[in-house]
Amino acid sequence: MRTKANETSPLEKVAPTIKRTGKSAAGIPAIISTAKHSIPNMGIIRSVTTLSKVNKFSGFDCPGCAWPDPDHKRSFAEFCENGAKSIADEATKKRADSKFWSKWKLSELSKKSDQWLNSRGRITSPLIIKEGSERYEEISWQDAYGLIGERLSSIKEPNEAIFYTSGRTSNEAAFLWQLLARSIGTNNLPDCSNMCHESSGVALTQSIGIGKGTVKLDDFEHADLIIVVGQNPGTNHPRMLTALRDAKKSGASIISINPLIEKGMVNFKHPQNPFEILGTGTNIADEHVRVKINGDQALFRGFAKVLIGERNQPSEFIQRYTSNFEDYKENVEGTEWKDIAISSGVSKEEIVRIGRIISKAKSIICCWAMGLTQHKNSVATIQEITNLLLIDGNIGRKGAGLCPVRGHSNVQGDRTVGINHNPSESFQKSLKEVFGIKPIENSGYDSVESVKMMNAGKSSIFLSMGGNFLSAMSDTHYTANALRKCDLTVHISTKPNRSHLIPGKVGLILPCLGRTETDHTGGSEQFVTVENSMGIVHKSVGGANPASPDLRSEVAIIVGIAKSIANYENLHDINWDLFTEHYDNIRQKIELVVPGFEGYNERCRQDGGFYLPNPPRDYRIFETETGKATFIVHNLESISASENEYVMMTIRSHDQYNTTIFGTNDRYRGIQGGRRIVLMSKNDMEKGGFFQMQLVTITSKFKEKKIRSEGWRIVSYDIPDGNVATYFPESNVLIPLDSVADYSNTPTSKSVCVSIEAES
Ligand SMILES: Nc1nc2c(c(=O)[nH]1)N[C@H]1C(S)=C(S)[C@@H](COP(=O)(O)OP(=O)(O)OC[C@H]3O[C@@H](n4cnc5c(=O)[nH]c(N)nc54)[C@H](O)[C@@H]3O)O[C@H]1N2
Ligand SMILES: Nc1nc2c(c(=O)[nH]1)N[C@H]1C(S)=C(S)[C@@H](COP(=O)(O)OP(=O)(O)OC[C@H]3O[C@@H](n4cnc5c(=O)[nH]c(N)nc54)[C@H](O)[C@@H]3O)O[C@H]1N2
Ligand SMILES: [Mo]
C-alpha cells in the first residue's frame, strides 16, 4: 500500500498581511509584476522574444484567457500582466525532470504547497508510478503507450474509460481525443467546461439555439450600454478592460453587477499606454450594483418589470422572432417587488433606477462569467438575462448581444470540435459518415458523474488531456478517493500538479509541448488552431525551443495511444499516421465533420483567422424547437443561509491561473502572503464576534452532508452581509459533489452554505 498523500495544499503557518490598495488597476504595478514573473522564469532575452510573439498573427495564442484579439490593429505588446504570468509559467527554464520525481516520495511531495509544486518547472520525460510504489520513475514513450493500450484493450465495457479535457487543448488535439474515445465506444468526455460555462451553453442553446455568445469585439465600440455581471475582468480577462475603455470613449455606459467592487472595474490605466499610466486612468463602471450572492435572477426579473412596464406593446422583434412572450410577461408582472428585493439584496428604488437606464439604452451588451454559472439556478439566471435582452431585440444587431466570457483559451473550440459528453445527433452522424463510427446511444459522463462512477468502481481508467482534475473539481476528498480507486490514471501535462500525487494503482504522466514551443511532429513545422470567446478560429504557432527533447505534442501522444490499442474495429479503420504526418490532415477531417469549417486549412492561415457561423448573431435565425428565440420562464429562486450561516463564493486571486498558483498575493484586493482567507463584512464580524486574522474552521452543509475544513483566517472586506468569499482550489474540499446546478450539473462553486467557528 502506498502512503496516503495530502489531497490539498498544506495549511499556512503565517497570517497574510493587508495592504491598502492603489486607486487604479493595471498601470505601473502591472508592468512591475509582469517583469517580476517573467524574468526569473524565462530570463530577459527569452522574456522579450517570447512575449513579443503573443497574440500576433504569426505568433501563438496567449494561454491566459479566451478574450479575442483585435481583428486588425495589433500593438507590439498584445498581452496583459496575467497573460504574461501564464506564459512565463510555461516558458520557464526550470525543470521537474526524472531525477526530481525519483527523489521524492509522493507523500512527501504532497506536504508541499501547490505553488511550490508548480514552480519545480516543466516535466521533461514520461513517468510511471507502479502499483504499491511511492515514487514516479522514468518510462519510455513506447512502454507507456503499450501499457495504456493494453489496459484499454482489456476493458469489458467502453464506459470503464474516461477521457477528461482541460481547455488549453488545441482544436486538432481535442478532435483526435474525442475520436479516440468514440472509436472505443464511449461518450465519456467530461471537460473543464462542466465546471465552468456549461450553464451558459445549456441556457443559450434552449433560448436562442446556439450555446455561444452573439457578439463580436467590434460590437463593443457600437454599444451604448455594457453590463458586466459576475465577472472580474481586471484579474481574469485584463485585455477586456481595453475594450471597455474604448467603448466608454465611444460613449457607452458600463454597469457592473457584483457583490464585490472589483478593482479593474473602478479605474484602469492601460499598461501599454504611457499617457494613461501617468495620468488619472479611466473609470470603467458608471454604476455598480451590489447584488448579494446568487441574487441575479431576481435582479434581472426586476429590470424586466421596469422595461415591460414602460413599453406599451411588444416590439416588432418580439412578434417576428420570439415565442412565449405573453407567458413571460405574465410571470414578470406577477412577481412581487418584495420578493425581488429580498432575493437580490437590492432595494426596489435602486432596481428601478438602474432598470430605467437599461430601458433607455439603444444597444446593450451583457457580459458574464463564473459569478453567474456556478449556482443551482444558473441556467434560469442566464435565461432571465436572455429574456431581458430579447425584449428590445438586443440580439443579432450591431452593438448588442449576449457575451459569456470564456475562461480557458480554447475551451470553446474544444466543444466545437466534439469534446462533449452529450453530443448532438448530427455530430455523431457525421462521425459515422467520415470515420464509420457507430453513433453511441447513451450520453457519457460529465465531470461530476465521472467522480461518481470511479467511486462506484464502474470506471477504472482515467485519462486526462491537460488540467488538474483533482483540484479543479468539487469535493476534493471524494474526488481523490475516486482517482485512487482507478486501475490506471494518465495525465498528459506540462507542469506538476496535485492530480499527479493521487494516481490510480498505476499512474502515468506524459509530458507534452506547450503553446509557446515549436512543434516539428512529422518532420515539418506544425501549427495548431484555437477558437476564442467570440467564435474566431485562428492559428497559433510557438517559437521557443521545447523544454526537453523528449516532449511530444498532444496530437502525437493521442496517435501513439490509439495505435497501441488492439481490439477495436472502428479504431483500426482510422489511419492515425496521417494525423502525425501533417496537422492539415486533421483539419481536413474536422472540416468534413463540423459545420462552419469550409476551407479550414486555407482560412486559418489568413491573418486573424475566420469567424464560425453564428445564426442568431448573423441572421437572427434561432435554431430552437420552435424556430424562434424563446422567452423561458422559471420560478424565482435564490440561495439563503439560515441564521448564523453564510453563503460562500469561491473565487480567484490575482496570482493564480485556476489551480496553478503563481504567488500568494491578491494585489487588487490588498491581500499579501496568504490564500486561506475568508472575506467577511465588518457587520458579520461584529455579529459573530470575529476579529481580523482570527483562525476559523469552516463547515459546509448540504442536505445531510457536513464537511469541515480548518485553518482559515477572517479578513474584513466590503462584501454584502451574510456573504463570504474564499479562494479556490483550497475551498473545493467544502463543496459537496451533489451540490450542482439544475440542468448543467455544474458544481455550485459560488453558492455554498457554510457556518464558521473560531478555532481555539
Ligand atoms: N489570471 C487569470 N485569468 C483567468 C483565470 C485565472 O484563474 N487567472 N481563469 C480563467 C478561467 S478558466 C475562467 S472560467 C475565467 C474566470 O473569470 P471570473 O468569472 O471573473 O472568475 P472568478 O474569480 O471565479 O470571479 C467571479 C466573479 O463573480 C463574482 N460573483 C460571485 N458570485 C456572484 C453572484 O452570485 N452574482 C454576481 N453578479 N457576481 C458574483 C465575484 O465577486 C467575482 O468578481 O477566467 C479565466 N482567466
Ligand atoms: N471552487 C471552484 N472550483 C473551480 C472553479 C471555481 O471558480 N471555484 N472554476 C472552475 C473552472 S471555471 C475551470 S475552467 C476549472 C479548471 O480546471 P482544469 O482546466 O482542469 O485546471 P487548470 O488549473 O487550468 O489545469 C492546470 C494544469 O494543466 C496543465 N497544462 C497547462 N498547459 C497545458 C497544455 O498546453 N497542455 C496540456 N496537456 N496540459 C497543460 C498543467 O499541468 C497544469 O498543472 O476549475 C473549476 N474549478
Ligand atoms: Mo473556466
Side-chain angles (χ1 to χ4, degrees):
M1 275 280 281
R2 216 172 267 149
T3 321
K4 210 167 171 188
N6 287 352
E7 293 152 7
T8 58
S9 221
L11 301 191
E12 290 165 355
K13 293 196 185 83
V14 189
T17 50
I18 305 300
K19 241 187 119 184
R20 220 166 58 88
T21 57
K23 280 209 191 79
S24 52
I28 288 173
I31 299 173
I32 297 172
S33 165
T34 305
K36 229 163 76 182
H37 285 270
S38 308
I39 295 168
N41 263 312
M42 301 191 283
I44 287 183
I45 294 173
R46 200 166 155 98
S47 295
V48 174
T49 49
T50 307
L51 290 176
S52 72
K53 292 200 173 65
V54 192
N55 293 338
K56 292 300 161 47
F57 294 135
S58 58
F60 63 90
D61 180 59
C62 179
C65 75
W67 188 255
D69 314 301
D71 279 343
H72 308 292
K73 44 178 199 257
R74 299 210 178 162
S75 60
F76 169 74
E78 203 56 66
F79 61 90
C80 68
E81 171 200 356
N82 274 351
K85 285 184 201 163
S86 286
I87 292 160
D89 191 62
E90 179 181 299
T92 178
K93 291 187 293 187
K94 298 185 191 132
R95 300 289 176 260
D97 55 18
S98 54
K99 271 207 289 264
F100 162 79
W101 290 97
S102 56
K103 175 174 157 205
W104 293 86
K105 282 187 188 172
L106 286 197
S107 51
E108 288 166 352
L109 274 182
S110 77
K111 291 184 190 138
K112 301 287 188 181
S113 70
D114 289 339
Q115 185 188 351
W116 184 92
L117 268 179
N118 172 66
S119 64
R120 294 312 93 195
R122 290 286 297 275
I123 308 167
T124 55
S125 53
L127 301 157
I128 182 169
I129 183 154
K130 295 182 182 150
E131 195 160 356
S133 169
E134 302 277 356
R135 294 179 175 84
Y136 277 99
E137 57 194 271
E138 212 169 305
I139 181 175
S140 72
W141 280 103
Q142 230 28 61
D143 289 350
Y145 293 152
L147 180 77
I148 303 169
E150 178 212 312
R151 297 293 170 97
L152 282 174
S153 309
S154 63
I155 53 180
K156 291 184 203 72
E157 217 269 309
N159 284 336
E160 284 176 34
I162 291 174
F163 294 80
Y164 175 72
T165 315
S166 167
R168 266 194 200 177
T169 301
S170 64
N171 285 349
E172 289 75 5
F175 182 75
L176 295 189
W177 195 232
Q178 65 80 35
L179 191 64
L180 174 63
R182 295 200 165 101
S183 55
I184 287 173
T186 180
N187 276 324
N188 286 349
L189 287 153
D191 69 340
C192 67
S193 196
N194 298 149
M195 315 165 203
C196 182
H197 264 295
E198 191 73 47
S199 303
S200 308
V202 171
L204 295 177
T205 304
Q206 284 179 358
S207 294
I208 61 166
I210 191 168
K212 301 183 183 182
T214 67
V215 294
K216 294 182 173 175
L217 191 52
D218 173 52
D219 284 312
F220 281 74
E221 283 175 35
H222 300 274
D224 59 6
L225 179 66
I226 300 169
I227 310 177
V228 181
V229 203
Q231 195 196 343
N232 178 18
T235 286
N236 298 313
H237 304 90
R239 286 179 304 123
M240 178 176 167
L241 295 183
T242 311
L244 293 178
R245 178 203 62 175
D246 292 349
K248 280 208 75 159
K249 285 189 180 160
S250 317
S253 305
I254 294 173
I255 300 176
S256 148
I257 300 178
N258 200 312
L260 306 182
I261 299 178
E262 299 286 26
K263 196 43 147 301
M265 298 303 290
V266 178
N267 187 285
F268 169 62
K269 292 183 178 182
H270 200 296
Q272 281 132 32
N273 181 331
F275 296 105
E276 269 184 42
I277 285 186
L278 300 172
T280 50
T282 309
N283 288 320
I284 298 277
D286 300 280
E287 296 283 352
H288 178 258
V289 183
R290 198 167 177 265
V291 67
K292 68 178 193 185
I293 294 177
N294 195 219
D296 307 86
Q297 191 195 358
L299 185 66
F300 278 82
R301 181 75 56 88
F303 295 153
K305 235 171 141 65
V306 178
L307 257 70
I308 288 177
E310 288 189 351
R311 309 280 180 274
N312 296 327
Q313 58 184 51
S315 64
E316 199 210 322
F317 177 86
I318 293 184
Q319 295 175 26
R320 198 165 151 198
Y321 293 105
T322 72
S323 66
N324 209 33
F325 177 67
E326 287 309 317
D327 245 19
Y328 168 62
K329 183 167 177 247
E330 201 181 304
N331 191 263
V332 170
E333 288 170 345
T335 315
E336 302 280 338
W337 273 114
K338 174 172 81 353
D339 296 333
I340 292 177
I342 291 174
S343 296
S344 64
V346 185
S347 68
K348 175 183 170 187
E349 293 67 40
E350 176 75 347
I351 302 178
V352 169
R353 191 178 70 78
I354 302 286
R356 289 199 177 126
I357 299 175
I358 298 174
S359 176
K360 281 203 197 84
K362 299 264 167 333
S363 38
I364 306 173
I365 292 176
C366 187
C367 306
W368 70 89
M370 296 305 101
L372 284 196
T373 63
Q374 300 172 331
H375 304 278
K376 177 165 185 295
N377 61 339
S378 284
V379 170
T381 302
I382 294 161
Q383 291 181 332
E384 201 76 45
I385 292 180
T386 310
N387 293 345
L388 187 82
L389 261 60
L390 288 174
I391 294 177
D392 288 334
N394 273 302
I395 292 180
R397 68 178 156 82
K398 218 168 191 40
L402 295 159
C403 182
V405 182
R406 304 281 162 176
H408 261 306
S409 50
N410 196 39
V411 64
Q412 188 159 315
D414 292 347
R415 256 308 147 85
T416 304
V417 302
I419 301 296
N420 194 341
H421 59 283
N422 195 7
S424 67
E425 250 174 60
S426 60
F427 183 86
Q428 295 219 78
K429 200 166 148 251
S430 302
L431 275 188
K432 169 129 187 14
E433 281 158 18
V434 178
F435 293 103
I437 298 176
K438 254 206 340 255
I440 303 157
E441 258 174 46
N442 301 326
S443 21
Y445 309 146
D446 63 15
S447 295
V448 167
E449 287 161 341
S450 293
V451 171
K452 289 186 179 164
M453 289 306 175
M454 289 187 274
N455 258 308
K458 298 232 162 81
S459 297
S460 55
I461 301 183
F462 181 81
L463 303 112
S464 179
M465 177 50 81
N468 181 4
F469 189 72
L470 168 74
S471 307
M473 259 305 284
S474 51
D475 220 329
T476 313
H477 298 309
Y478 197 63
T479 300
N481 219 24
L483 293 170
R484 277 199 191 96
K485 275 194 159 178
C486 284
D487 290 328
L488 176 67
T489 49
V490 180
H491 294 280
I492 299 168
S493 310
T494 51
K495 305 276 303 274
N497 63 48
R498 205 158 287 271
S499 293
H500 302 143
L501 309 187
I502 314 287
K505 288 193 188 88
V506 176
L508 286 167
I509 303 176
L510 306 180
C512 65
L513 294 170
R515 285 272 170 88
T516 52
E517 291 161 328
T518 51
D519 177 354
H520 283 100
T521 305
S524 61
E525 186 175 77
Q526 303 290 345
F527 65 85
V528 292
T529 57
V530 291
E531 175 185 342
N532 64 31
S533 210
M534 292 179 190
I536 303 169
V537 177
H538 62 95
K539 71 174 190 198
S540 170
V541 51
N545 282 333
S548 142
D550 213 10
L551 300 186
R552 299 217 172 152
S553 73
E554 293 177 342
V555 163
I557 296 172
I558 301 167
V559 169
I561 295 174
K563 286 174 61 184
S564 67
I565 303 172
N567 55 352
Y568 293 94
E569 212 179 290
N570 283 326
L571 195 124
H572 290 286
D573 292 341
I574 298 168
N575 182 355
W576 292 92
D577 284 325
L578 198 68
F579 303 139
T580 34
E581 265 166 34
H582 203 285
Y583 296 177
D584 277 354
N585 299 335
I586 311 174
R587 288 184 283 267
Q588 260 171 20
K589 297 290 185 198
I590 296 178
E591 178 175 340
L592 294 176
V593 173
V594 190
F597 283 85
E598 295 75 19
Y600 192 0
N601 273 315
E602 204 179 291
R603 288 199 294 159
C604 72
R605 286 176 162 86
Q606 293 163 4
D607 282 353
F610 62 95
Y611 278 93
L612 285 174
N614 187 311
R617 180 192 69 201
D618 302 337
Y619 312 106
R620 288 192 160 169
I621 289 176
F622 301 98
E623 292 163 347
T624 60
E625 272 175 27
T626 56
K628 293 190 166 189
T630 314
F631 285 93
I632 299 179
V633 180
H634 295 271
N635 290 333
L636 215 55
E637 243 190 85
S638 83
I639 189 170
S640 59
S642 38
E643 189 64 16
N644 299 326
E645 286 183 3
Y646 309 85
V647 177
M648 178 177 83
M649 56 175 166
T650 61
I651 54 177
R652 293 158 167 78
S653 85
H654 196 62
D655 263 359
Q656 73 184 85
Y657 192 89
N658 297 338
T659 69
T660 301
I661 311 300
F662 304 127
T664 48
N665 298 343
D666 195 358
R667 194 172 80 239
Y668 294 159
R669 300 196 184 107
I671 294 153
Q672 262 191 349
R675 294 181 47 84
R676 292 185 70 86
I677 50 122
V678 189
L679 304 181
M680 186 184 263
S681 77
K682 271 208 181 89
N683 277 341
D684 281 344
M685 283 174 64
E686 263 171 37
K687 222 169 101 192
F690 297 117
F691 54 85
Q692 182 82 332
M693 294 301 157
Q694 181 164 13
L695 264 178
V696 293
T697 295
I698 310 178
T699 307
S700 66
K701 290 184 191 151
F702 181 76
K703 295 186 178 159
E704 300 306 304
K705 187 163 172 170
K706 279 190 183 181
I707 310 175
R708 277 167 65 85
S709 173
E710 292 171 2
W712 297 84
R713 284 173 207 271
I714 300 279
V715 169
S716 162
Y717 204 79
D718 182 7
I719 181 170
D721 294 343
N723 290 174
V724 293
T726 50
Y727 297 130
F728 112 90
E730 290 82 349
S731 48
N732 254 334
V733 283
L734 285 159
I735 306 175
L737 192 73
D738 282 326
S739 179
V740 291
D742 296 336
Y743 313 108
S744 63
N745 219 22
T746 296
T748 59
S749 314
K750 299 283 189 277
S751 280
V752 193
C753 278
V754 298
S755 59
I756 298 177
E757 59 193 303
E759 287 177 11
S760 45

